[in-house]
Amino acid sequence: MKKIILLLSLTCLFACGTSKTVRTSKKIIKGDWVLNTISYSESGTYNVTLLNDVSKECFENSTWQFTPNNNSGIYAINNTSCAVGDRNFIFTIQEVDPATGLYHFLLKPYNKKVTKYDKVGFRLKLAELSDTNMVWQQTLTVEGKPFTISMNFSK
């Protein structure tokens, strides 16, 4: 019985630990980024509100700051024809498959004025991450077909 408990404890310990790949990703993501462009997998004109906040046009050229040691960040909408200002968020990088390097990125808005986390979170695929580029993808269903939104960042 003691051996089973020890085995279960060790399994839990190793399963709950952050992988080296995720730790490396957090080091790369640290710092300031610019969300340069947002593109769609299908051509056409779409009225999309991203992160329950503002439109694609407002998000383009927004600045983002990531602080991995406490999984928090701030993005700033800079387009003066939009609701400008800073927005706080928390984030988590969750490894999906270490063999392929695919991740899910969970982002949750945070309202400092009322000191609470929004109950709504956004799961995005961290499709690319290098020292200078990052790409997030979110796949939705539009008219019964997959529709992917790609957000392209640079550092």
Side-chain angles (χ1 to χ4, degrees), residues 23-39:
R23 286 192 306 272
T24 302
S25 296
K26 284 185 174 187
K27 286 179 186 176
I28 293 171
I29 204 170
K30 180 180 179 179
D32 299 324
W33 295 80
V34 174
L35 176 49
N36 298 305
T37 60
I38 298 170
S39 59

Side-chain angles (χ1 to χ4, degrees), residues 79-145:
N79 185 333
T80 56
S81 62
C82 304
V84 297
D86 292 347
R87 278 83 157 159
N88 299 287
F89 62 90
I90 59 170
F91 69 94
T92 305
I93 298 173
Q94 299 173 326
E95 190 168 353
V96 175
D97 182 354
T100 62
L102 299 177
Y103 300 92
H104 282 221
F105 191 89
L106 180 63
L107 186 132
K108 291 184 94 175
Y110 177 74
N111 186 339
K112 276 191 167 182
K113 291 180 182 170
V114 294
T115 62
K116 72 171 193 167
Y117 292 98
D118 194 330
K119 293 179 182 178
V120 175
F122 302 92
R123 188 166 306 279
L124 307 157
K125 176 183 173 186
L126 184 56
E128 179 186 329
L129 182 62
S130 71
D131 290 335
T132 57
N133 295 303
M134 176 168 58
V135 177
W136 295 352
Q137 292 181 332
Q138 183 177 27
T139 302
L140 311 167
T141 302
V142 176
E143 297 177 356
K145 294 188 248 176

Side-chain angles (χ1 to χ4, degrees), residues 36-100:
N36 298 305
T37 60
I38 298 170
S39 59
Y40 306 130
S41 61
E42 304 295 322
S43 60
T45 303
Y46 298 95
N47 184 12
V48 176
T49 299
L50 297 166
L51 306 179
N52 283 350
D53 190 359
V54 293
S55 70
K56 166 192 176 219
E57 292 75 23
C58 295
F59 265 104
E60 289 181 329
N61 296 311
S62 60
T63 53
W64 294 66
Q65 182 181 53
F66 294 88
T67 309
N69 66 336
N70 65 2
N71 290 346
S72 68
I74 297 172
Y75 68 89
I77 302 298
N78 303 316
N79 185 333
T80 56
S81 62
C82 304
V84 297
D86 292 347
R87 278 83 157 159
N88 299 287
F89 62 90
I90 59 170
F91 69 94
T92 305
I93 298 173
Q94 299 173 326
E95 190 168 353
V96 175
D97 182 354
T100 62

Side-chain angles (χ1 to χ4, degrees), residues 5-15:
I5 292 172
L6 179 62
L7 181 62
L8 289 174
S9 297
L10 288 173
T11 302
C12 182
L13 179 66
F14 288 113

